[in-house]
Amino acid sequence: MSEPARPDVTAAPPSGGGGDVGRRVARRRERLGLSREDVAARAGTAPGCLKHLEESPAAPGAGFLLRLAAALDTTAAELQGPGGAVRPSGPGREAGHPDLVELGPGECHDLLSAHGVGRISVSTSWGPAVVPVDYRVVDDAVVLRAAPDASPAAAAGSEVAFEVDHIDETLSEGWSVLVVGRARQLTESEAVRLVGREYHRPWPGGSREMWLRLDPGSITGRRIRVR
């Protein structure tokens, strides 16, 4: 079911310079009443990437297009239009000449900052759990919200792992960034000073009254490149 339009969101109009896919993405986004920031957070990408797609004759990769279609409650085929085809996601295969390379601190930080959805690993009373969360990077720290009785809330006061990644199974490429550090609970006034009041509405919905800040002790990353 399509998400109803939100009257408090004003989407930017599509530019005439965009490609066919970009124009379809912009039209679909506007029909749902979503901003670029909304869709970027859902797709786990940066608003700037979405702006480039909508306004330039860009050709998005298969993995990104599939994530974007899910964020817009549609299909990749609908976004591609007549004659388009995206291979479905499936078991990854070794590429012809893959290279597994370590990412430097700067690239890890850039990738972490450009995404909006990651996974946090915590120890709970019923055992270990890995939970997807939406987040922001502020002052080099990961800031997120949680319901007090939800699994991510168990991160407060403990050392945890937080991971973001992008996997393109079709092209056998991808990257991941891992943050390990201690999480602490923030007061609402501290959180508002860090990220502003617009972050009071996490896109999954529901009541999330608890603010958490993860200060990295280490940030590491790896990328699979295909030659």
Side-chain angles (χ1 to χ4, degrees):
M1 179 181 296
S2 298
E3 181 175 321
R6 296 214 311 256
D8 57 334
V9 174
T10 301
S15 168
D20 289 343
V21 174
R23 285 193 290 270
R24 292 189 186 95
V25 167
R27 284 197 298 267
R28 179 64 180 172
R29 176 173 62 77
E30 291 175 351
R31 284 187 59 193
L32 297 178
L34 300 173
S35 69
R36 283 175 178 154
E37 288 74 16
D38 292 331
V39 176
R42 292 184 175 192
T45 189
C49 293
L50 189 58
K51 181 177 186 294
H52 177 71
L53 175 63
E54 291 186 359
E55 298 183 355
S56 306
F64 175 62
L65 189 60
L66 290 168
R67 297 201 327 272
L68 194 56
L72 292 168
D73 193 21
T74 186
T75 66
E78 287 291 331
L79 295 180
Q80 283 200 312
V86 174
R87 289 175 52 190
S89 172
R93 294 196 295 264
E94 180 181 342
H97 299 284
D99 290 326
L100 182 62
V101 298
E102 299 290 329
L103 301 179
E107 189 171 5
C108 286
H109 184 272
D110 289 345
L111 292 170
L112 183 68
S113 300
H115 275 56
V117 178
R119 287 175 289 276
I120 189 168
S121 174
V122 296
S123 295
T124 70
S125 58
W126 55 87
V130 178
V131 186
V133 292
D134 59 317
Y135 72 96
R136 295 276 183 89
V137 175
V138 185
D139 295 338
D140 295 328
V142 175
V143 179
L144 58 98
R145 296 183 66 184
D149 57 348
S151 296
S158 62
E159 187 174 53
V160 298
F162 181 83
E163 190 256 1
V164 294
D165 61 33
H166 170 65
I167 306 297
D168 191 327
E169 295 172 336
T170 302
L171 301 179
S172 300
E173 296 180 335
W175 57 263
S176 66
V177 172
L178 178 66
V179 179
V180 177
R182 192 165 188 84
R184 67 182 179 91
Q185 184 174 356
L186 297 175
T187 65
E188 184 170 353
S189 60
E190 287 178 316
V192 168
R193 285 197 298 270
L194 281 175
V195 299
R197 293 189 177 277
E198 73 275 6
Y199 195 55
H200 279 216
R201 296 174 56 187
W203 68 260
S207 176
R208 286 166 170 76
E209 302 172 358
M210 186 175 184
W211 295 84
L212 296 172
R213 171 177 176 145
L214 170 58
D215 291 297
S218 67
I219 303 180
T220 57
R222 299 190 298 176
R223 182 190 297 276
I224 298 176
R225 289 196 176 102
V226 177
R227 293 181 284 114

